[in-house]
Amino acid sequence: MTTTDEEKTVAAAFEKELLTIPFDKIAPLYLVTPQKRASIKFKQIAASIHEIGLVEPIVVARDPHNPDQFTLLDGHLRHEVLKDQGNTDARCLVSTDDEAFTYNKRINRLATIQEHKMILRALSLGVPEARLASALNINIRTLKQKRQLLDGICDEAAELLKDKQVALTGFQILKKMKPLRQIEAAQLMVAMNKYTINYARSLLAATPESLLVSAATPKQIRGISREQLDLMERESANLEREVRLVEDSYGVDHLDLVLARGYITKLMGSDRVTRYLSVHHDAFLSAFERISEIEAFAS
């Protein structure tokens, strides 16, 4: 059986050309609140657009009942900033899917290391530090910290965190560790899917002094005694061993669970099975129902 060229065609996610669309033809999905307007992110976007213009077009979808009207899928803050600056239209990317969730779940936001590389690239092209700081709505000192983000971070740890949203302070904490411990800490962050400053601080607190750089020793954490630090170090080492053991079998265990939940969900779709369980194995029925609900929620 052969596949025709028509069957091989994949539907395009966006229209080929950018369109300049008046704002009165674009309907936002939600209003930008005063709290959003006061946020750092909103101010950064406003500063960037004021300094260098709109870089990333806003994303819209055509109204299925009126192709000349559009729904705003992504870029509500950019849309609001442009209106504040007196613009009446904007260049838009037109999505062929009108679900904002479908669009947004496929977006990879700029990670900290990616931003660092973008800053280095801009500086190498001759962009003045003052203008770049203004576009990012940060001061020169913060710009220099972002530029020097990976100074003191080993390549292996940087590779592990290259697409993660780790705070600038998180990298500063990692720099207090020796390369081997940096790799271990990065692996734990990825395994636990936690990249917060507090988690980075807890990893630092649980790091033996032998794995800290000289500038970070002797280690002192406010409110924690030396005995408590020793206990945290031992518990951290145990946790790391357990995480590695789990990682070895995670893929197989996850596949088994998915298959088991799928099978149980299929069983629960049979009226005969549910009636039999309700009469002879009521405890199993309630347990299977809970598993089916978890499966439906996870999917």
Side-chain angles (χ1 to χ4, degrees), residues 14 56-61 71-75 78 91-95 103:
F14 301 97
E56 182 182 357
I58 61 179
V59 181
V60 298
T71 300
L72 178 56
L73 300 183
D74 181 75
R78 280 167 278 156
R91 297 279 281 174
C92 300
L93 183 63
V94 182
S95 172
Y103 173 78

Side-chain angles (χ1 to χ4, degrees), residues 254-267 291 295:
H254 186 265
L255 178 60
D256 289 343
L257 287 172
V258 169
L259 292 175
R261 285 187 296 179
Y263 179 69
I264 290 173
T265 301
K266 188 174 181 179
L267 282 179
I291 292 173
E295 165 65 16

Side-chain angles (χ1 to χ4, degrees), residues 22-43:
F23 289 150
D24 59 7
K25 293 188 176 183
I26 300 175
L29 291 175
Y30 59 85
L31 297 177
V32 177
T33 64
Q35 291 80 5
K36 282 281 189 182
R37 285 177 163 275
S39 67
I40 294 176
K41 182 178 180 181
F42 186 89
K43 293 176 181 177

